[in-house]
Amino acid sequence: MSDNRIYTDRDCVETGSGCSLKGKVVVLKESALEAGFGRQLYYCTGGNGANGNALGKSVFLVNLKNGEFERCTRDHVLGVLKPELLPDEEKLQLSQIRPPGALPLENHEPQYSGYSFLEDGRYAAGVWLCNEKEAMEYVEMQKPYQHRIMLCDRNDFCVWEVRCGMQVYPPQEKLDEMREGLVENPGPMQL
């Protein structure tokens, strides 16, 4: 189980102050554990220290054990975890995170639900997504880490599926048309 493992720079695809952290699973240094952080693996949602060569220090995180929001300083971060090293339990917790900047569910009607599946078929509850932009962002944030990602509409029909990082439904041409439509016309559109 990942609780006992100590991750090092060899487990990271990028390290140092030059790497961007936002939207990625990050590894905290061992010194962060000594400073009171109980784990090393977190999902970075942003902060003025999350960009490469950032002038700020704050990094906003989601704990991949319990889903709670936390904050650390950039110097506590070792780097970005290699996606293939993310343990299954943390993948399931990651699948429950809505994209950074997602609209509040209290004021907006969800149009989609996002699901991410482990290779053995396990998955956690779906995540509500309010519009096409959030749906696409959910897929992009999950793609490096999840075996299978599926978006369903309000009627629970599959409208988008990705397996092993490759899109299987709808065909790529249809997705390109949808993305182009979102840029040219940010109004409602059918996914």
Side-chain angles (χ1 to χ4, degrees), residues 74-111:
R74 177 67 189 231
D75 45 345
H76 279 128
V77 178
L78 177 62
V80 176
L81 183 71
K82 292 177 181 175
E84 65 272 15
L85 297 180
L86 187 63
D88 286 351
E89 294 307 312
E90 282 78 355
K91 287 179 184 179
L92 290 172
Q93 185 65 50
L94 177 66
S95 76
Q96 298 300 288
I97 300 173
R98 297 178 71 224
L103 298 171
L105 294 173
E106 299 80 30
N107 306 345
H108 297 87
E109 182 77 22
Q111 300 301 309

Side-chain angles (χ1 to χ4, degrees), residues 115-118 135-136 138-151 158-170 172 175 179:
Y115 300 91
S116 294
F117 298 83
L118 300 178
M136 289 181 179
Y138 178 80
V139 171
E140 290 305 315
M141 73 185 263
Q142 299 294 333
K143 198 183 325 185
Y145 305 102
Q146 306 292 354
H147 173 70
R148 178 179 172 214
I149 306 151
M150 188 169 67
L151 293 177
C158 178
V159 294
W160 196 358
E161 185 174 355
V162 174
R163 287 182 192 238
C164 301
M166 303 293 294
Q167 180 163 329
V168 272
Y169 182 80
Q172 187 62 45
L175 185 61
R179 281 192 175 126

